[in-house]
Amino acid sequence: MKLKYIPIALLGLMTFVSCDENRKEKTENVQKTEQIDKLSDAEFHYTVDEFADIKILRYQIPGWDELSLKKQKLVYYLTQAGLSGRDIIWDQNYKHNLKIRKALENIHANYDGDKNADDWKNFETYLKRVWFSNGIHHHYSNDKLKPEFNQAYLKELLSATNTELKGEAFEVIFNDKDSKKVNLDESKGLVKGSAVNFYGDDITAKDVDAFYANKKSPNPDKPLSFGLNSKLVKENGQVVEKVWKSGGLYGSAIDEIIKWLEKAKDVAENKAQADALGLLIEYYQTGDLQKWDDYSVAWVEATEGDIDYINSFIEVYNDPKGYKGSYETIVQIKDFDMSKKMKVFEDNVQWFEDESPIMDEHKKKNVVGVTYKTVNVAGEAGDASPSTPIGVNLPNSNWIREAHGSKSVSLGNIIYAYSHAGGSEKLEEFAHDEEEIKLSKKYGEQADKLHTALHEVVGHASGVINNGVGETKETLKSYASTLEEGRADLVGLYYLMDPKLEELGLTDNSEALGKAAYNDYIRNGLMTQLIRIEQGKDIEESHMRNRQWISAWVYEKGKEDKVIVKETKDGKTYFDIKDYDKLHDLFAELLRETQRIKSEGDYEAAKNLVENYGVKVDQDIHKEVLKRNEAFKSAAYSGFVNPVLVPEMGDNGEIKTIKVTQPNHFADQMMEYSKKYNNLPEVN
């Protein structure tokens, strides 16, 4: 599981400074970078580019120079392994993505016509949006991106650059076909209504259910993650899996991943780390899901060392049926100071479980192996880039988590870059009063860090599924992801006002901290997150849904006691929390019910909760929020270019040092990636 959104307070605080719109970007296929050594916040330029609803930032890698050369090599090899599979996420997201991307990039590199024309500027913006989303569907809303140029202009560009793009791959850019990458509206068909490329065109949701219903794990107590690493297609009328492995689907890219993982294994920090990498290599070679479980156990138990990583087919958010894992990688360097401070959650996780308001029969008697670290990202790829999570908790397998524990990380330098790239004007616009603003400014960032920690360490580790109840992807189906993320959010919200946080030395005022967190969460859940979707649209993304169903549920249930009051001042809507203690109790009640739904596999209750509170949008409030947000130049979404690790070779042909450089332009990095990590054909 991962937190793939801006923290609850930072979303309200961030108003980004616009980059130089007159700066002319280079189009050569050479990545322009600059070496930057330990710059202060005032000296380091976080913003790289801004277009449409996107802002592109940079991040530094604190502590790089303190790493030994061997550890730097490990980081370098792991980042190269990650980038080698970059094309996989593009193909997973949509069957024509690679063909479209390569055509657009060829135009970008070779067009020598009028680049001051509005159509050309619109073309460049469209290409950047496609790069950012790893395909032609919006990274967050899942809606197909709409170009602001017409078919005739694209044909002109194709002709001028001797580029070929025809048939459905050309037409789909402009028509209504495959309009939603991930469709969660069952009435439209979860599979048929989704453009994501996990299933053949003739596969239905019933085919998926029937195929995996017949899969049986050798040990029912340790269910394998069936479907995680394959595409489901029909051959001669029979449903079969095309496994992503060496020699199989995506084999050419996977072979490159393996090559770099083998180099990483040779410079591993310790035996446990090397053994885990060896099992990951075997998994990529064979596609064997038992190897995946063996690797996951070895990985979660390899807790020593300064370097860690996430690599493979991980999260299932992009699969409307919840089976297929999107390719992603994150390479991490331990932040020693912050990890030491936050280890308190790891040491006290059993206390939080024991004191939880969930039913006793749903509590874990022995929470094992939870590790929590703040890390600094050294490189990301696949579904983690350019749009990145801020926190991750893995593995996702329930039985592994219960028997062997989990790893939780907070991406410290990513969060730091977010928080130092903007101001507080949006908070001041949407907060109810001056006291709310003061609380958020004083405690908001601290509340975000603690909420992330509680969400990842305690939330995802909490609770048990009743004996005989299947995995949530089978019982809760398309609602599994939003229920799990909401459950983890509720754990954090419940404890953010607890005096235990003061006792543990995590805050000087748990009451003020909790109030700041509650204000920010409700404001975001009921109002400010709506800037991320178009007027008239339902909420599709799982995290947005969970923030709304939590906020809307407690608002409705607390109406009689006026726990949260909707007020209008000067024609503007605000939500003012009047009774924080009762709101805390409502969070507890909802947490208890959400855990019951998961533990019992109660599909109807999950459906009712999400559909009644998390999907539909109050259109009057949405219209108002969009209007009020027009005053700000800040983009609704942010993502990152990666620092570039540049090895310098000695006379013996071995790496003697590795320098960190920073990209100057988003387009340069995207073009360089496509040139250097072009490891898949256009059609797979």
Side-chain angles (χ1 to χ4, degrees), residues 244-446:
W244 308 325
K245 64 174 183 174
S246 177
L249 193 56
Y250 303 145
S252 56
I254 289 172
D255 286 342
E256 283 296 306
I257 297 170
I258 291 171
K259 179 185 78 176
W260 289 104
L261 289 177
E262 287 175 336
K263 290 178 179 289
K265 182 173 178 286
D266 289 341
V267 293
E269 296 178 88
N270 51 63
K271 185 178 184 302
Q273 192 180 69
D275 289 347
L277 284 166
L279 287 167
L280 179 58
I281 291 167
E282 289 183 46
Y283 168 61
Y284 273 130
Q285 290 170 332
T286 64
D288 183 353
L289 289 171
Q290 184 58 60
K291 287 292 183 187
W292 172 248
D293 280 358
D294 294 343
Y295 160 71
S296 296
V297 170
W299 174 80
V300 81
E301 293 184 343
T303 57
E304 300 299 321
D306 300 335
I307 313 301
D308 210 345
Y309 62 93
I310 293 162
N311 181 302
S312 198
F313 312 111
I314 309 289
E315 305 290 359
V316 298
Y317 301 120
N318 284 328
D319 179 5
K321 295 298 293 180
Y323 287 96
K324 311 298 178 184
S326 295
Y327 175 79
E328 72 169 301
T329 74
I330 304 174
V331 183
Q332 314 152 4
I333 302 170
K334 186 176 179 180
D335 183 325
F336 298 99
D337 181 55
M338 282 304 301
S339 293
K340 183 177 180 181
K341 290 178 181 177
M342 301 304 279
K343 188 175 182 293
V344 65
F345 285 116
E346 179 183 335
D347 293 340
N348 289 274
V349 67
Q350 190 66 54
W351 181 91
F352 288 106
E353 181 75 346
D354 293 343
E355 297 300 317
S356 172
I358 66 177
M359 300 177 194
D360 287 342
E361 58 266 34
H362 297 156
K363 293 180 181 180
K364 284 184 179 175
K365 306 308 178 189
N366 182 29
V367 186
V368 298
V370 178
T371 64
Y372 184 78
K373 292 181 175 66
T374 297
V375 300
N376 291 314
V377 171
E380 299 179 310
D383 200 37
S385 180
S387 177
T388 173
I390 60 165
V392 183
N393 180 283
L394 292 172
N396 286 331
S397 172
N398 281 310
W399 79 261
I400 295 177
R401 298 167 71 84
E402 290 182 18
H404 301 276
S406 61
K407 286 181 179 177
S408 291
V409 295
S410 176
L411 309 186
N413 55 340
I414 295 294
I415 295 172
Y416 189 85
Y418 274 134
S419 66
H420 287 76
S424 61
E425 292 88 349
K426 196 172 292 185
L427 168 68
E428 292 161 1
E429 168 63 32
F430 289 98
H432 176 265
D433 51 47
E434 190 62 33
E435 178 63 22
E436 190 173 317
I437 294 169
K438 288 180 179 178
L439 278 171
S440 190
K441 287 184 175 180
K442 184 172 183 179
Y443 289 101
E445 188 171 352
Q446 182 186 44

Side-chain angles (χ1 to χ4, degrees), residues 608-645:
N608 290 336
L609 180 60
V610 177
E611 294 292 343
N612 290 337
Y613 296 98
V615 176
K616 299 299 179 182
V617 175
D618 184 317
Q619 292 302 319
D620 291 335
I621 287 183
H622 192 190
K623 183 177 180 180
E624 177 192 327
V625 167
L626 292 175
K627 182 68 176 176
R628 289 165 70 178
N629 191 62
E630 289 176 359
F632 310 107
K633 293 182 179 180
S634 61
Y637 306 93
S638 295
F640 292 84
V641 286
N642 289 304
V644 182
L645 304 181

Side-chain angles (χ1 to χ4, degrees), residues 83 97 187 221 239 250 273 363 386 502 506 525 579:
L83 288 166
N97 271 340
S187 68
D221 294 330
V239 178
Y250 303 145
Q273 192 180 69
K363 293 180 181 180
E502 287 184 50
L506 296 169
D579 193 326

Side-chain angles (χ1 to χ4, degrees), residues 202-219:
D202 50 359
I203 293 289
T204 67
K206 287 184 178 180
D207 291 330
V208 178
D209 291 339
F211 183 83
Y212 288 113
N214 289 325
K215 294 283 187 180
K216 304 298 179 186
S217 298
N219 183 346

Side-chain angles (χ1 to χ4, degrees), residues 50-117:
E50 185 172 6
F51 50 89
D53 56 354
I54 305 295
K55 180 172 283 292
I56 303 295
L57 306 176
R58 303 194 294 190
Y59 61 90
Q60 301 193 76
I61 310 177
W64 176 259
D65 291 337
E66 280 70 50
L67 294 178
S68 67
L69 178 59
K70 183 180 179 183
K71 292 179 182 179
Q72 289 184 352
K73 287 181 180 180
L74 176 59
V75 172
Y76 174 68
Y77 295 147
L78 288 170
T79 57
Q80 293 302 302
L83 288 166
S84 294
R86 173 179 181 257
D87 279 356
I88 294 175
I89 189 64
W90 284 79
D91 194 74
Q92 287 181 322
N93 281 345
Y94 184 54
K95 62 185 177 183
H96 293 309
N97 271 340
L98 287 173
K99 187 178 294 185
I100 292 170
R101 188 192 81 196
K102 291 177 181 182
L104 299 182
E105 288 175 341
N106 194 60
I107 293 171
H108 183 270
N110 295 294
Y111 183 65
D112 58 4
D114 182 4
K115 294 187 178 180
N116 292 315

